[in-house]
Amino acid sequence: DVSVSAEGRSGGAINDNLVVYTDHPKARVMAMAAYGQIPEPLTVSPNVITLLANAGARPVTRYITVRPGLITNFKVLKAEFPDPSVNVSIRQHNQYGYQIMLQNINATHDLAGKEVVISTDAPGREEIRIGIQIMDNGKVVNPPIVENGAPK
């Protein structure tokens, strides 16, 4: 019998190697590839919102989906975008959880590195953070380095 434990690992896909030690004289050690999925309390997609900051770009809409995982009975209580001019709405779908719509996003450099914060009543996932990545001319815009509360 062989059993594999994923204790202490976070949820998501796992690719690893199993090493099996045997008492067989011709095959004392065997290595096998192991692939699997560790269930998460909730499944959130995407894990990063990527926005293009091109000159003359129009405001865009993005969606976040929060689906049941190990926790099947939960509520999304609120979602906050770092720019207050963005319209945030939450819609529950019986079959696949919640859809969060973020409308009127202006992809500016000051959003780089900030996060969308989602609050739920799911134990262990009361707060979900989705990073915001800004791309400008094919390059990732890095957030400003902050020391002592002032941008550098």
Side-chain angles (χ1 to χ4, degrees):
D1 288 344
V2 175
S3 65
V4 179
S5 172
E7 190 172 328
R9 290 240 170 135
S10 59
I14 182 170
N15 299 316
D16 219 333
N17 290 309
L18 293 176
V19 179
V20 180
Y21 300 95
T22 74
D23 59 359
H24 193 282
K26 292 185 179 180
R28 295 229 179 253
V29 178
M30 297 178 356
M32 293 181 256
Y35 306 99
Q37 185 73 22
I38 301 171
E40 298 185 66
L42 299 176
T43 302
V44 182
S45 180
N47 57 2
V48 173
I49 295 174
T50 301
L51 302 168
L52 303 177
N54 298 328
R58 299 175 72 173
V60 296
T61 299
R62 293 291 182 266
Y63 297 90
I64 300 171
T65 304
V66 182
R67 294 185 180 104
L70 293 172
I71 298 171
T72 56
N73 188 15
F74 70 96
K75 290 180 182 164
V76 170
L77 305 173
K78 70 178 178 176
E80 298 171 297
F81 195 86
D83 177 355
S85 69
V86 171
N87 300 321
V88 178
S89 60
I90 302 169
R91 221 169 28 158
Q92 183 177 9
H93 293 277
N94 291 335
Q95 294 182 5
Y96 66 87
Y98 289 83
Q99 182 183 62
I100 300 165
M101 184 168 57
L102 309 167
Q103 288 180 292
N104 196 38
I105 303 170
N106 289 302
T108 58
H109 286 213
D110 61 334
L111 287 175
K114 297 202 175 159
E115 298 172 316
V116 177
V117 180
I118 302 166
S119 300
T120 78
D121 66 354
R125 289 304 303 257
E126 291 87 356
E127 187 175 88
I128 300 166
R129 293 181 171 271
I130 308 293
I132 299 171
Q133 175 178 273
I134 303 294
M135 299 283 293
D136 195 347
N137 292 318
K139 296 181 181 176
V140 175
V141 175
N142 292 316
I145 297 170
V146 177
E147 285 185 18
N148 299 327
K152 224 178 167 181

